[in-house]
Protein backbone atom coordinates (compact mmCIF):
# COMPACT_ATOMS: atom_id res chain seq x y z
CA UNK A 1 0.00 0.00 0.00
CA UNK A 2 1.18 3.51 -0.84
CA UNK A 3 1.12 5.66 2.29
CA UNK A 4 -0.50 9.09 2.33
CA UNK A 5 2.26 11.70 2.15
CA UNK A 6 2.84 13.75 5.30
CA UNK A 7 5.25 16.62 5.93
CA UNK A 8 7.79 14.32 7.59
CA UNK A 9 8.08 12.18 4.45
CA UNK A 10 8.00 15.06 1.96
CA UNK A 11 10.17 17.83 3.42
CA UNK A 12 13.49 16.00 3.56
CA UNK A 13 17.12 17.14 3.58
CA UNK A 14 18.88 17.29 0.22
CA UNK A 15 20.85 14.23 -0.95
CA UNK A 16 24.18 15.80 0.05
CA UNK A 17 23.09 15.78 3.72
CA UNK A 18 22.45 12.75 5.92
CA UNK A 19 18.78 11.68 6.14
CA UNK A 20 18.82 12.60 9.84
CA UNK A 21 20.03 16.19 9.25
CA UNK A 22 16.64 17.73 9.99
CA UNK A 23 15.59 15.42 12.81
CA UNK A 24 15.80 18.24 15.37
CA UNK A 25 13.66 20.58 13.25
CA UNK A 26 9.97 20.41 14.25
CA UNK A 27 7.88 18.78 11.51
CA UNK A 28 5.82 21.89 10.71
CA UNK A 29 8.99 23.98 10.37
CA UNK A 30 10.75 21.72 7.87
CA UNK A 31 8.89 23.42 5.02
CA UNK A 32 10.97 26.55 5.76
CA UNK A 33 14.25 24.62 5.27
CA UNK A 34 12.88 22.94 2.16
CA UNK A 35 11.76 26.24 0.56
CA UNK A 36 15.04 27.94 1.49
CA UNK A 37 16.99 25.28 -0.39
CA UNK A 38 14.84 25.44 -3.50
CA UNK A 39 14.31 29.20 -3.70
CA UNK A 40 17.70 30.26 -2.31
CA UNK A 41 16.19 32.78 0.08
CA UNK A 42 16.35 32.99 3.86
CA UNK A 43 13.07 32.34 5.65
CA UNK A 44 12.43 32.63 9.35
CA UNK A 45 9.39 30.88 10.83
CA UNK A 46 7.02 33.32 12.57
CA UNK A 47 6.94 33.60 16.33
CA UNK A 48 3.20 33.84 17.04
CA UNK A 49 -0.12 32.22 16.21
CA UNK A 50 -2.99 33.70 14.22
CA UNK A 51 -6.00 33.56 16.54
CA UNK A 52 -9.57 32.82 15.44
CA UNK A 53 -8.78 31.31 12.05
CA UNK A 54 -9.93 27.75 11.26
CA UNK A 55 -7.83 25.87 8.74
CA UNK A 56 -8.81 22.33 7.91
CA UNK A 57 -6.30 19.77 6.72
CA UNK A 58 -7.42 17.46 3.93
CA UNK A 59 -6.05 14.66 1.82
CA UNK A 60 -5.57 15.94 -1.72
CA UNK A 61 -4.13 13.59 -4.32
CA UNK A 62 -2.62 11.44 -1.55
CA UNK A 63 -1.05 14.30 0.44
CA UNK A 64 -2.16 15.95 3.68
CA UNK A 65 -2.57 19.57 2.59
CA UNK A 66 -3.71 22.81 4.24
CA UNK A 67 -4.51 26.10 2.51
CA UNK A 68 -3.38 29.47 3.80
CA UNK A 69 -6.00 32.26 3.54
CA UNK A 70 -3.59 33.96 1.09
CA UNK A 71 -4.12 31.12 -1.40
CA UNK A 72 -0.87 29.26 -0.86
CA UNK A 73 -0.85 25.68 0.40
CA UNK A 74 1.59 23.20 1.84
CA UNK A 75 1.91 19.60 2.89
CA UNK A 76 1.18 19.17 6.60
CA UNK A 77 1.11 16.43 9.22
CA UNK A 78 -1.18 15.46 12.08
CA UNK A 79 1.98 14.85 14.14
CA UNK A 80 2.53 18.66 14.29
CA UNK A 81 -0.88 20.23 13.51
CA UNK A 82 0.13 23.75 12.61
CA UNK A 83 1.11 25.63 9.49
CA UNK A 84 2.92 28.88 8.78
CA UNK A 85 2.85 30.18 5.24
CA UNK A 86 6.18 30.57 3.48
CA UNK A 87 4.59 33.04 1.04
CA UNK A 88 2.69 35.60 3.13
CA UNK A 89 4.28 34.95 6.54
CA UNK A 90 1.01 35.67 8.38
CA UNK A 91 1.92 33.52 11.39
CA UNK A 92 1.20 30.05 12.69
CA UNK A 93 -2.24 28.61 12.09
CA UNK A 94 -3.62 25.78 14.20
CA UNK A 95 -4.83 23.03 11.88
CA UNK A 96 -7.94 20.92 12.28
CA UNK A 97 -7.35 17.26 11.47
CA UNK A 98 -9.90 14.49 11.84
CA UNK A 99 -10.03 12.84 15.23
CA UNK A 100 -8.43 9.74 13.67
CA UNK A 101 -6.15 10.69 10.73
CA UNK A 102 -5.25 7.04 10.16
CA UNK A 103 -8.94 6.25 9.60
CA UNK A 104 -9.18 9.06 7.01
CA UNK A 105 -6.11 7.64 5.28
CA UNK A 106 -7.62 4.14 5.38
CA UNK A 107 -10.88 5.42 3.87
CA UNK A 108 -9.06 6.40 0.66
CA UNK A 109 -6.55 3.52 0.59
CA UNK A 110 -8.42 1.57 -2.10
CA UNK A 111 -8.19 4.46 -4.57
CA UNK A 112 -5.27 5.12 -6.88
CA UNK A 113 -2.95 7.71 -5.24
CA UNK A 114 -3.97 10.53 -7.62
CA UNK A 115 -7.64 9.88 -6.75
CA UNK A 116 -7.18 9.85 -2.97
CA UNK A 117 -9.09 12.84 -1.64
CA UNK A 118 -10.62 13.31 1.81
CA UNK A 119 -11.98 16.41 3.51
CA UNK A 120 -13.91 17.02 6.69
CA UNK A 121 -17.49 16.68 5.48
CA UNK A 122 -19.10 18.03 8.67
CA UNK A 123 -17.24 21.21 9.46
CA UNK A 124 -15.05 22.36 6.59
CA UNK A 125 -17.07 25.03 4.84
CA UNK A 126 -14.13 26.07 2.67
CA UNK A 127 -14.28 22.96 0.51
CA UNK A 128 -16.75 23.29 -2.35
CA UNK A 129 -17.91 19.67 -2.58
CA UNK A 130 -20.41 17.67 -0.65
CA UNK A 131 -19.44 14.45 1.11
CA UNK A 132 -21.43 12.40 -1.40
CA UNK A 133 -21.26 13.60 -4.99
CA UNK A 134 -24.33 12.53 -6.97
CA UNK A 135 -23.56 10.25 -9.87
CA UNK A 136 -25.13 10.35 -13.28
CA UNK A 137 -24.36 7.35 -15.50
CA UNK A 138 -24.87 9.53 -18.60
CA UNK A 139 -22.06 11.92 -17.64
CA UNK A 140 -18.40 11.31 -18.29
CA UNK A 141 -16.80 9.18 -15.60
CA UNK A 142 -20.12 8.65 -13.81
CA UNK A 143 -19.92 11.99 -11.93
CA UNK A 144 -22.61 14.59 -12.23
CA UNK A 145 -21.56 17.62 -14.23
Amino acid sequence: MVAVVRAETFYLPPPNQPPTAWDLVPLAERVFRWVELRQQRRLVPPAGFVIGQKIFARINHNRWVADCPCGSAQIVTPADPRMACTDCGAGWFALIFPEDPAAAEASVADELPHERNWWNPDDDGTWDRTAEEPTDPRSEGGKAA
Side-chain angles (χ1 to χ4, degrees), residues 50-54:
V50 176
I51 305 298
Q53 187 79 35
K54 282 186 176 182

Side-chain angles (χ1 to χ4, degrees), residues 35 44 47 50 59 66-67 71 91 102 113 118 120 122-124 128 131 134 137:
V35 169
V44 177
V50 176
I59 298 174
D67 299 308
W118 177 94
N120 190 323
D122 298 326
D123 299 321
D124 187 358
D128 62 356

